[in-house]
Amino acid sequence: MQTQSTSDRIIDATIELTSKKGYKAATTKAIAELAGVNEVTIFRHFGNKRGILKAVIQRFSYGPLLQKIIKEKVIWDLETDLYNFSKEYQDYLMSIKDFVLIGFKEANAFPEIDEEIANIPLFIKKELIDYLCEMKKRGKLAEVNVEATVMSLIALNFGFFISRARLGLNVTQLSTEALLTTSIGIFSRGLAP
């Protein structure tokens, strides 16, 4: 841990403590001890425990990846682009599923976790709204409520992730690719002008 920046050591210590003992047990004193820093250093870098929480959530946010996909991989074909967004989203969430599930478990006792986590879908919502508005300008999107459309896409993806993360293959044996090909195909046809 010593070769990392101080901020990274603090964030990693917070993740480790929260994973093993829960958010409540991840006190600034315990975080400082595990990170090998003075507790005052935590306050200097993050202000308080919520500041660390915000940094942890930003580290795990899908937003930067979505921005990169939109910037580099969008071909302005609705079905292809929505499939790519969704596939990357599924792959990314599955790679951090333990953290996501811990966040949900801990959020019941600590509302600040929900408040910070909400920033992730808000960011995704904004990026996808911008994408669909551009598709509408290009004449490649039917006259729809764009926000409702984006929320439906997020719900479709997050619902599948939660099902797979919590229940594995007990609900469906379909691969992620098979589910997304079908659902995004249906979804895209409904949005065609």
Side-chain angles (χ1 to χ4, degrees):
M1 229 188 230
Q2 294 300 328
T3 59
Q4 296 176 298
S5 74
T6 301
S7 293
D8 284 339
R9 288 195 332 259
I10 293 168
I11 291 169
D12 287 347
T14 303
I15 293 166
E16 184 177 332
L17 280 170
T18 302
S19 296
K20 290 181 179 175
K21 298 182 179 183
Y23 184 70
K24 183 176 183 178
T27 64
T28 54
K29 182 177 180 179
I31 293 166
E33 187 177 305
L34 184 59
V37 300
N38 188 299
E39 193 172 8
V40 173
T41 303
I42 288 177
F43 299 122
R44 198 170 341 117
H45 281 264
F46 298 99
N48 54 30
K49 187 173 173 181
R50 182 151 184 178
I52 304 169
L53 173 64
K54 185 178 282 201
V56 168
I57 290 171
Q58 286 174 347
R59 178 182 282 184
F60 288 109
S61 174
Y62 174 70
L65 180 59
L66 178 61
Q67 281 182 321
K68 183 178 180 184
I69 292 167
I70 289 173
K71 183 178 178 186
E72 297 175 3
K73 296 183 180 179
V74 165
I75 62 170
W76 304 108
D77 173 75
L78 193 62
E79 189 168 349
T80 301
D81 292 340
L82 293 183
Y83 177 87
N84 288 336
F85 297 156
S86 297
K87 178 70 169 85
E88 292 283 348
Y89 181 78
Q90 293 298 323
D91 291 347
Y92 184 72
L93 280 182
M94 286 307 286
S95 76
I96 63 167
K97 78 174 180 171
D98 293 338
F99 176 75
V100 174
L101 295 174
I102 288 168
F104 280 118
K105 177 182 168 204
E106 294 286 327
N108 290 330
F110 302 99
E112 67 267 23
I113 294 175
D114 267 347
E115 292 168 16
E116 293 300 332
I117 288 175
N119 291 319
I120 297 171
L122 284 170
F123 184 84
I124 293 169
K125 180 178 124 176
K126 183 206 171 300
E127 292 297 314
L128 290 173
I129 285 173
D130 291 348
Y131 167 79
L132 289 181
C133 285
E134 180 61 30
M135 289 296 281
K136 192 179 268 192
K137 283 182 198 171
R138 293 172 181 238
K140 296 183 174 189
L141 187 72
E143 196 56 45
V144 295
N145 180 320
V146 173
E147 182 178 9
T149 301
V150 166
M151 291 308 298
S152 296
L153 181 64
I154 290 171
L156 180 150
N157 275 289
F158 197 69
F160 180 68
F161 161 72
I162 287 295
S163 174
R164 187 55 50 94
R166 290 280 295 130
L167 305 171
L169 300 174
N170 292 326
V171 175
T172 181
Q173 298 288 316
L174 284 173
S175 68
T176 300
E177 292 77 11
L179 179 106
L180 291 178
T181 298
T182 300
S183 59
I184 296 300
I186 294 166
F187 196 84
S188 298
R189 284 190 297 279
L191 297 174

